Amino acid sequence: IASTLLALAQGNLDSTGGVIVGVVALVELLGLVVIVRRALRADAALHNPMTTRRPWRRILMAPLPAIRRDIVRVQNLPYGEGPRRNLDVYHRRDRPAGVAVVLHFHGGGFHSGNKRREARPLIGHLVSQGMVCASANYRLRPHVGYEEQIADGLAAIEWVRSHVREYGGDPEQIFLVGSSAGAYLSIDAVNAGADGIAGIVGRYGYYGDLVPERPLPPTLVIHGENDLLVRPSHAREFVERLRAGSSRPVEYVELSGGHHAFDLYESIRSNAVNIAVERFI
């Protein structure tokens, strides 16, 4: 906008080429307006309070990471032997005690990804509100099969349950958050025997043919209406299976204009999701 206005003031848009460039800039501006309007609908879809304050400094800085001086990250803590069987723990510097705990599993189609890619805005928000968060790696295909991956998920949960008091967390309040393939892992961890999970959040999740084989905790499923990797219809079908097989609350939210991995950076939409997950917990 600034460069176009400057060109207009200097008379550089008088030529045919200048007019074309000006029209292109106007179309881009209108497109950005549409994108922002769609993002602003996320709060209503998620039933967030309309008085929500947004972290505009961090949103406008994206994709540059914003420094949060009140958060401490303890890196690469092993929950098992071998490569990729490690996690990062995040806690507030003043370390409040007895708080809820969030364990995040990353996406990547079970073939790629790492514990520092997705959910950075979410982890930063939840820890700033006093919670303890952990984000776990797990072994990837083709080096291991799914049996080893779900074993890693269970081992990470047990590590968190055994050690989270050291960082101020309450082992009786563990919530699982999964991104894409990590959402599948979070649900199936309960199927595979993980007990004492207080709730599950799936964000742009892949769920395959998952059905609840054991009683699931309350679950929040958030998906983007424009997700091209995992169609919204796939998420809706999973939620129907979940509701049919579970007596606990299952909430589904579809975000206008949302794509896959909608929370890689701080944004209007990711901030709305952060607040909704905090409220769910």
Side-chain angles (χ1 to χ4, degrees):
I1 295 171
S3 62
T4 303
L5 291 176
L6 181 61
L8 179 64
Q10 294 177 342
N12 294 332
L13 298 184
D14 295 340
S15 66
T16 302
V19 171
I20 293 173
V21 170
V23 170
V24 169
L26 179 60
V27 171
E28 289 180 346
L29 176 60
L30 294 175
L32 289 171
V33 170
V34 171
I35 289 172
V36 171
R37 288 190 63 188
R38 288 176 176 173
L40 288 170
R41 296 175 190 165
D43 282 310
L46 293 160
H47 307 294
N48 288 339
M50 300 312 294
T51 56
T52 298
R53 295 182 60 186
R54 302 190 194 281
W56 287 114
R57 181 180 63 86
R58 292 195 299 274
I59 290 173
L60 294 174
M61 284 179 61
L64 298 175
I67 297 175
R68 293 178 181 257
R69 301 186 184 280
D70 61 333
I71 294 176
V72 175
R73 176 165 64 98
V74 186
Q75 303 182 55
N76 298 322
L77 298 168
Y79 63 79
E81 296 182 357
R84 290 194 59 87
R85 304 190 80 197
N86 54 55
L87 52 78
D88 295 344
V89 172
Y90 300 77
H91 63 84
R92 209 165 68 185
R93 195 170 295 277
D94 60 357
R95 197 174 296 198
V99 299
V101 181
V102 171
L103 173 58
H104 172 254
F105 293 112
H106 66 78
F110 300 105
H111 290 84
S112 65
N114 66 76
K115 55 185 167 58
R116 292 200 63 198
R117 186 172 69 176
E118 298 107 341
R120 288 182 300 174
L122 175 64
I123 289 172
H125 175 82
L126 296 180
V127 174
S128 69
Q129 298 305 308
M131 303 181 199
V132 173
C133 292
S135 188
N137 278 335
Y138 49 89
R139 290 171 290 177
L140 301 173
R141 299 176 186 177
H143 306 291
V144 298
Y146 180 70
E147 293 77 12
E148 288 81 8
Q149 292 177 316
I150 191 65
D152 286 355
L154 293 172
I157 292 170
E158 288 310 306
W159 188 96
V160 168
R161 195 186 312 278
S162 299
H163 295 272
V164 76
R165 287 191 191 276
E166 302 168 21
Y167 305 97
D170 180 357
E172 302 301 319
Q173 296 187 69
I174 297 177
F175 292 79
L176 303 181
V177 174
S179 303
S180 194
Y184 188 109
L185 204 59
S186 299
I187 297 290
D188 212 26
V190 177
N191 282 341
D195 291 317
I197 302 301
I200 300 175
V201 180
R203 297 138 7 98
Y204 46 91
Y206 164 75
Y207 304 102
D209 296 323
L210 268 178
V211 293
E213 299 173 7
R214 300 174 71 240
L216 292 178
T219 304
L220 171 62
V221 176
I222 305 174
H223 215 81
E225 69 169 4
N226 292 341
D227 194 325
L228 300 179
L229 292 182
V230 182
R231 296 287 185 179
S233 58
H234 174 89
R236 289 194 294 267
E237 290 168 2
F238 166 71
V239 168
E240 290 174 5
R241 295 196 302 271
L242 206 56
R243 287 172 173 164
S246 175
S247 60
R248 307 302 297 274
V250 180
E251 184 177 356
Y252 176 70
V253 179
E254 199 165 293
L255 301 178
S256 175
H259 290 261
H260 201 74
F262 50 68
D263 70 335
L264 290 180
Y265 308 112
E266 295 274 6
S267 68
I268 295 172
R269 184 179 287 111
S270 70
N271 177 245
V273 171
N274 297 345
I275 293 168
V277 172
E278 177 195 354
R279 292 175 52 245
F280 171 79
I281 292 173

